[in-house]
Amino acid sequence: HSILMLSPSSVVINPVVQKDLPYDAQKDIRPLATITRSFAVYVTRADGPLTSMKDAVDAARARPGGVSMSNYGHHYRLGAISLERPLNVKFNHVAYKGAAQAINDVVGGTIDVALTDLTGALPLIDSGKIRALAVTGRARHPRLPNVPTVAETVLPGYDLYVWIGFGVHGKTPEPIARKLEAALVQAIKSPEYAKYNAEQG
């Protein structure tokens, strides 16, 4: 009866990019529900020379591999590559284990640009410690109405969403899986959850 938190990396990307994965995402995981879907954001240090996504792309084009970009996990790595390739630019990708150190190094000026989760970045954007260059949704985010989308500025059609869901083991009896699924859907549709989700960005 254990419930597993799912992400794009665990069920979509890892099976494609990792050899000898110790699980079969199609057989070993029974998805229950997606509980949230949010934007990512490209950020830089607040007092840095980059003031727009176009600045970042132009700098990377002028100095191939000379503009550093932090990311963590396969999802953000592929999100950055899907920006680079159509624009024919090359960032120096620096891999991190998580968002905290990646963002710290942007604040400190060690890293030029980061692609990161918007929810985690919002407090630092609001406090003026980092500058948002562009969000990755199809439309601007209501919390950042003055920050354009990547599609508006440098790459029409680009979008990248971060989602979280829950699942159970593929061998979980279906009646139990359906009961858990129904409970999650009920919670997701509640006004309390809608309010919480909106506040998270």
Side-chain angles (χ1 to χ4, degrees), residues 101-157:
Q101 188 59 51
I103 295 297
N104 283 343
D105 285 354
V106 170
V107 173
T110 306
I111 296 293
D112 298 309
V113 180
L115 174 57
T116 190
D117 173 62
L118 177 59
T119 303
L122 273 173
L124 294 173
I125 295 170
D126 291 341
S127 66
K129 292 184 178 179
I130 56 175
R131 174 187 295 141
L133 298 174
V135 294
T136 64
R138 295 190 181 105
R140 297 189 182 197
H141 195 278
R143 286 282 302 276
L144 299 172
N146 296 322
V147 177
T149 66
V150 173
E152 282 181 75
T153 54
V154 294
L155 185 58

Side-chain angles (χ1 to χ4, degrees), residues 50 52-67 83 87-91 113 153-154:
L50 306 176
S52 68
M53 198 66 203
K54 185 177 184 303
D55 285 350
V57 170
D58 288 347
R61 184 172 286 122
R63 297 183 290 123
V67 179
L83 173 78
L87 296 173
N88 194 29
V89 299
K90 180 65 177 175
F91 289 92
V113 180
T153 54
V154 294

Side-chain angles (χ1 to χ4, degrees), residues 32-56:
L32 296 173
T34 300
I35 61 168
T36 185
R37 181 174 180 261
S38 60
F39 291 35
V41 61
Y42 286 93
V43 298
T44 189
R45 77 179 196 268
D47 60 350
L50 306 176
T51 60
S52 68
M53 198 66 203
K54 185 177 184 303
D55 285 350

